[in-house]
Amino acid sequence: MSTSTQPRIAIIGAGPGGLTCARILQRHGISATVYDRDASRSARDQGGTLDMHPGSGQKALREAGLLDEFTASARPEGQQMRLVGRDGRVLFDMAPPEGVDEANGGADGEAGAAVGNPEIDRGRLRDLLLDSLHPGTVRWGHKLAHVEPLTVGVHRLHFADGSIIDADLVIGADGAWSTVRRRLSDATPVYTGVTFVETGLDDADTRHAALAALTGDGTMMALDDNRGFIAQRNSHRHVRVYVGMRTGENWHRDAGLDLSDEVAVREALLKEFTGWSPDLLRFITNTDTGYTNRPLYALPVPHAWPHTPGLTLLGDAAHLMSPFSGMGANLAMLDGADLARALIDAPTAIDEAVRAYEDLLLPRSAAAAEGAAEGIAGAFAPDSAAQALAHMTRRH
C-alpha cells in the first residue's frame, strides 16, 4: 500500500485488542494511531493475570511477531487450578502441563505455542505490545467525547481536550463503556448480579506464607452458596484476591457502608462469609492493599450492530462478558488480529474488510458470551461448590 493511499485509521483504546491490531497493521506497512484516555502508560494499575489460549491470544501474538517475547515473560506454572471447600479442604488440584508444543511452531522463526494457557500479568502483556509499536503510535491523554459522522465512511473524533481528528476508519477498542459503541448500538452493559471486592497480598510467600501455600502457583477458588474467594498468583510474589458475592449492585450504599472505611468493609465482608473456614477468611483480614469494589457487568447476548461504514468495534466494546469465560482478553486480541488481517488483505476496500471481520466476530463472540453467562451463573449459585467440582473434574 502506498503512503498516498493509506486510510486514516484511528484506534480508540490502548488495551490488548487495540494494541494488537495496531502492531499487526504496522508489521504490514499500514499506519494506525491509538488514542487512549490515560495520561500515560503507567497512569493506573492494569489489573491481574491473564491466561493466553493457543487458538486466540497466542495466535494473535504469533501474528504480531511477539510469541517469543510472550513465552519469555509468561508463567506456565500459573495454569495450576485449585478448588477449595468452604471448610478450607482442597477438593481439586490440577497441575499445569509441561513442555512446548513443537507442532504449533509459528512463522518468522518463532517458537511453538506453549502447552495449555500460560499466565501473564496484564501490565506485562500491555508493555510487551506497547514496546513493539513505532514511537508516537499511542497518543495519551485523549479521552474521546463523541463521534461525529461527516461523509459516508468518514468520522470526526472530538476529544475532551478540544482536539479533533478525522478518520476513514474508527475502531472502538474502548472497553465496557465504549464511546464509539454509542454511534453503533443502543446496548449498554447490565449488572450481572455479582460483585467482586478486590484486595491483595504483597510479598505473599514471606508475609502470608499460609495463604500463599493455599493459593498455589496459579488460581485458587472457593465457591459456595452465592459467594466465593478467588486468589490469583501474579508476578513479584503478589497474590490478587477477589471476594465475590451475588448481591445488589449498590450493596454498600444499601448497607450504609463507606467503601473508604476499611474496617467497616472488612466487618461487612466477614459477616457475608459467616461459617467459612478461618483459613479462607484471612484473605479478607490480611489484606495489604485495602478493598476495591468491582461490580461485574455484561452486554446483552447476542450483541450486534448494523454495519456502518467507517466504524467498528472489538474486545469489550463489542462483547463485554463476565470473567468466567476466561476469554475476554483472548477474544479482544483475536478480534484485533482478525480485523488487521482483513484490512491487510483488502487494503483498498476498507468497507469490505470490516464487513468480513464483523461476519467473523459476531457469531463467535455471541457463543463466548453465552458461555460466560452460564459460567458466572454456576459459580455464584446456591450449589456452586458442587457445580464447580463437577465442571473441573469433567474438563480435567
Side-chain angles (χ1 to χ4, degrees):
M1 178 184 291
S2 68
T3 55
S4 62
T5 61
Q6 281 210 7
R8 298 165 295 180
I9 299 176
I11 300 172
I12 310 302
L19 295 176
T20 297
C21 187
R23 161 66 179 178
I24 295 172
L25 288 173
Q26 286 187 355
R27 286 192 89 200
H28 293 268
I30 301 175
S31 296
T33 304
V34 181
Y35 299 88
D36 195 90
R37 63 188 300 168
D38 285 349
S40 69
R41 66 191 290 169
S42 58
R44 61 187 174 88
D45 179 53
Q46 293 301 304
T49 184
L50 299 167
D51 57 335
M52 290 283 100
H53 300 188
S56 49
Q58 289 186 53
K59 180 179 179 182
L61 287 164
R62 181 184 290 116
E63 186 80 11
L66 297 172
L67 192 60
D68 281 346
E69 288 87 342
F70 162 74
T71 302
S73 297
R75 301 190 312 279
E77 70 279 7
Q79 297 175 77
Q80 182 182 16
M81 180 62 67
R82 179 174 288 172
L83 181 67
V84 174
R86 64 186 292 165
D87 60 0
R89 292 183 304 114
V90 176
L91 305 175
F92 178 88
D93 196 358
M94 184 204 72
E98 297 180 358
V100 174
D101 182 3
E102 298 296 344
N104 287 333
D108 303 326
E110 290 194 303
V115 171
N117 310 322
E119 299 276 338
I120 187 170
D121 284 11
R122 284 179 177 269
R124 179 66 192 110
L125 177 64
R126 190 187 196 217
D127 284 344
L128 187 156
L129 289 162
L130 285 169
D131 291 343
S132 74
L133 297 173
H134 300 161
T137 296
V138 180
R139 308 287 174 85
W140 301 106
H142 279 71
K143 179 182 178 181
L144 183 63
H146 70 276
V147 179
E148 176 191 1
L150 293 181
T151 59
V152 175
V154 179
H155 292 81
R156 177 163 291 170
L157 304 180
H158 296 258
F159 294 95
D161 64 359
S163 61
I164 60 172
I165 67 109
D166 295 342
D168 303 302
L169 177 60
V170 179
I171 301 170
D174 46 343
W177 307 100
S178 170
T179 300
V180 178
R181 187 175 61 230
R182 296 177 202 158
R183 180 56 62 181
L184 291 169
S185 167
D186 293 330
T188 57
V190 176
Y191 179 54
T192 62
V194 174
T195 287
F196 283 174
V197 179
E198 181 182 334
T199 184
L201 311 173
D202 293 330
D203 195 11
D205 295 294
T206 300
R207 301 183 64 245
H208 307 283
L211 292 176
L214 184 59
T215 301
D217 291 328
T219 298
M220 185 284 305
M221 296 194 296
L223 304 170
D224 193 27
D225 192 22
N226 292 306
R227 295 167 181 80
F229 294 92
I230 300 172
Q232 288 185 329
R233 279 279 182 171
N234 287 209
S235 57
H236 308 298
R237 299 179 299 280
H238 182 74
V239 172
R240 197 173 294 257
V241 179
Y242 301 97
V243 183
M245 306 174 289
R246 184 167 291 282
T247 187
E249 184 176 7
N250 300 309
W251 70 277
H252 51 97
R253 284 199 284 271
D254 294 342
L257 189 65
D258 181 354
L259 288 173
S260 66
D261 185 341
E262 291 188 13
V263 173
V265 173
R266 182 180 303 118
E267 291 304 313
L269 292 176
L270 287 172
K271 288 180 181 176
E272 289 285 338
F273 287 84
T274 299
W276 287 60
S277 165
D279 293 337
L280 292 168
L281 295 181
R282 292 188 186 98
F283 282 115
I284 296 173
T285 59
N286 291 19
T287 176
D288 294 314
T289 59
Y291 307 96
T292 302
N293 195 57
R294 300 198 185 281
L296 303 182
Y297 297 91
L299 281 167
V301 182
H303 175 236
W305 57 89
H307 174 75
T308 304
L311 293 177
T312 196
L313 303 172
L314 63 76
D316 283 352
H319 44 67
L320 177 68
M321 63 190 75
S322 92
F324 283 84
S325 70
M327 289 293 293
N330 282 280
L331 275 182
M333 295 170 68
L334 186 60
D335 293 347
D338 285 342
L339 177 54
R341 172 52 60 188
L343 292 166
I344 292 161
D345 290 344
T348 60
I350 294 178
D351 198 50
E352 290 179 19
V354 172
R355 280 184 184 275
Y357 157 73
E358 290 174 347
D359 286 345
L360 186 64
L361 161 83
L362 294 173
R364 78 170 174 221
S365 62
E370 287 175 0
E374 292 174 1
I376 197 170
F380 290 88
D383 63 342
S384 51
Q387 287 200 50
L389 182 59
H391 176 73
M392 289 185 180
T393 53
R394 186 168 58 247
R395 289 186 62 191
H396 305 288

